[in-house]
Amino acid sequence: MKQYELTNQDYELIDRAKEIIETNFDTKTYIYTVGSAIRSKSGEVFTGINCDGIHGSCAEFISMGAARAAGVREFDTIVAVYKNAPNCLLPPCGNCRQMLLEYSPHIKVILNNESQKMIKVEIQDLLPLAYVHNDQME
Ligand SMILES: [Zn+2]
């Protein structure tokens, strides 16, 4: 699995995800606990927080939706944070991995490795042998 060095922009992305959840953390219901930030290829950053409900939505879906709603289609890196996780980094769940692969097959994800060290990898390495639509095969 190819790992990329975290850049200053990546640490800023992590900070943006922390900011959005610190601003919106719900101390009464603990519904809003995860923040996400996604950076476009051109450097724009969009954020999201998880939303609870019958089906709910992970923060990654919300940040991706905010970026898509703004017209962004090319993505560089995404991160999700949860304050009690090691380094505050939360790996994407299986559903988010599939969504990220379909929306941006080369997006990089910041997460912890097995030693709790921050790493950045391509989404394809987090979902080997994934289902892909025929028109997304590269
Ligand atoms: Zn998820």
Side-chain angles (χ1 to χ4, degrees), residues 58 60 93 96:
C58 295
E60 294 96 319
C93 74
C96 284

Side-chain angles (χ1 to χ4, degrees), residues 126-138:
L126 296 179
L127 202 58
L129 305 174
Y131 167 82
V132 289
H133 297 289
N134 282 338
D135 59 355
Q136 290 179 318
M137 290 185 179
E138 292 180 32

Side-chain angles (χ1 to χ4, degrees), residues 117-130:
K117 178 180 179 281
M118 287 187 192
I119 60 170
K120 184 168 69 169
V121 300
E122 270 200 25
I123 188 63
Q124 293 185 20
D125 287 329
L126 296 179
L127 202 58
L129 305 174

Side-chain angles (χ1 to χ4, degrees), residues 89-106:
L89 298 183
L90 205 57
C93 74
N95 197 32
C96 284
R97 291 178 194 213
Q98 183 68 38
M99 176 274 290
L100 291 169
L101 185 74
E102 291 184 19
Y103 275 78
S104 185
H106 299 289

Side-chain angles (χ1 to χ4, degrees), residues 31 39 42 51 87 132:
I31 289 173
R39 188 176 61 240
S42 61
C51 289
N87 299 318
V132 289

Side-chain angles (χ1 to χ4, degrees), residues 18-127:
K18 286 179 180 173
E19 281 171 26
I20 198 68
I21 197 59
E22 284 166 9
T23 304
N24 294 286
F25 190 84
D26 185 336
T27 57
K28 290 184 181 156
T29 62
Y30 297 100
I31 289 173
Y32 308 108
T33 55
V34 178
S36 174
I38 187 168
R39 188 176 61 240
S40 72
K41 288 272 188 203
S42 61
E44 296 168 284
V45 173
F46 299 87
T47 56
I49 58 172
N50 66 303
C51 289
D52 205 358
I54 294 173
H55 300 293
S57 182
C58 295
E60 294 96 319
F61 268 87
I62 305 299
S63 64
M64 174 63 84
R68 294 281 301 190
V72 175
R73 299 294 181 267
E74 305 235 334
F75 300 97
D76 186 78
T77 303
I78 189 167
V79 68
V81 302
Y82 173 66
K83 70 176 180 179
N84 294 333
N87 299 318
C88 294
L89 298 183
L90 205 57
C93 74
N95 197 32
C96 284
R97 291 178 194 213
Q98 183 68 38
M99 176 274 290
L100 291 169
L101 185 74
E102 291 184 19
Y103 275 78
S104 185
H106 299 289
I107 194 168
K108 295 176 191 74
V109 180
I110 300 169
L111 73 171
N112 291 320
N113 68 7
E114 299 85 352
S115 306
Q116 309 303 344
K117 178 180 179 281
M118 287 187 192
I119 60 170
K120 184 168 69 169
V121 300
E122 270 200 25
I123 188 63
Q124 293 185 20
D125 287 329
L126 296 179
L127 202 58

